Amino acid sequence: ITAVADSFWVKKSLTLTPADLASLAVWLQLPWSVKMVVSEIVDCVAIVGSRRRVYVVIGAGLIAAGLLLLAGAASGTVTAVSPERAYVIAQLLVVAGGIIQEVVADAMSAEVVARAGADGLPRAAADVDRDLAMVQVLARLGYSIGAFLVGWLAGLLAEALPYHVVFLIGLVVPAVSIAGALIVGLPVEA
């Protein structure tokens, strides 16, 4: 939702050069290389008795903090740091939150497939693998359709609204994540 406004704001208001942006892009991709480490932490380290719900909230909180910082920098209300520095910090927060959210989503997508049949007996490995593959296909299909629709919406919003307002609208995404984590009945240990 915020990517188009982000691009226009960077070009219009910030003094980052193309080289600065390319360097930042490399640094923003680097945390994805430790995604497997984050996955192990999410699977093994329970926080307040939770290995899923708390991490969803942490990830959403980091994304929300990044979006709030972007909105504050774009509106001129954040003055403690330069807009360029605020932009870099905000992007790092959003990436960190996104990694945590994706790791939890990956872990939970594997948990939705039943390992035992209605009779309580273990299902055949081939059947479980087929169902897991279908979950992944449906997730990617849903993601692709959502990305297309959100891209269209992002263009409309960036054209019609001030950039800081678009960044604030982006807070809907972490709010939905937090609401889902609080509403969905996950087992206590999950």
Side-chain angles (χ1 to χ4, degrees), residues 7-187:
S7 295
F8 286 132
W9 179 60
V10 167
K11 288 177 188 173
K12 180 181 175 188
S13 302
L14 299 185
T15 60
L16 296 169
T17 66
D20 293 335
L21 293 172
S23 177
L24 178 60
V26 169
W27 285 105
L28 292 176
Q29 289 300 313
L30 191 60
W32 290 98
S33 66
V34 297
K35 182 179 168 191
M36 290 185 352
V37 174
V38 175
S39 181
E40 284 297 317
I41 292 169
V42 168
D43 284 341
C44 299
V45 179
I47 299 175
V48 193
S50 172
R51 287 190 319 255
R52 299 288 184 263
R53 188 183 319 257
V54 168
Y55 286 102
V56 169
V57 172
I58 290 170
L62 289 170
I63 293 169
L67 291 172
L68 287 170
L69 185 54
L70 281 173
S75 68
T77 57
V78 170
T79 58
V81 295
S82 70
E84 290 78 13
R85 184 162 300 212
Y87 178 76
V88 170
I89 294 167
Q91 293 298 327
L92 288 170
L93 289 169
V94 169
V95 166
I99 290 169
I100 293 169
Q101 294 247 318
E102 184 163 323
V103 163
V104 174
D106 288 348
M108 291 176 72
S109 68
E111 294 170 354
V112 299
V113 174
R115 302 299 198 265
D119 57 4
L121 297 175
R123 294 177 61 212
D127 292 341
V128 171
D129 289 345
R130 184 187 67 244
D131 289 352
L132 286 170
M134 184 55 70
V135 167
Q136 290 297 320
V137 167
L138 292 173
R140 293 294 171 205
L141 181 62
Y143 177 81
S144 298
I145 292 169
F148 176 75
L149 294 174
V150 167
W152 171 74
L153 177 62
L156 292 176
L157 291 174
E159 187 175 64
L161 300 171
Y163 303 135
H164 71 279
V165 173
V166 177
F167 297 140
L168 291 174
I169 291 171
L171 290 171
V172 168
V173 175
V176 168
S177 293
I178 291 171
L182 298 175
I183 293 171
V184 172
L186 296 172

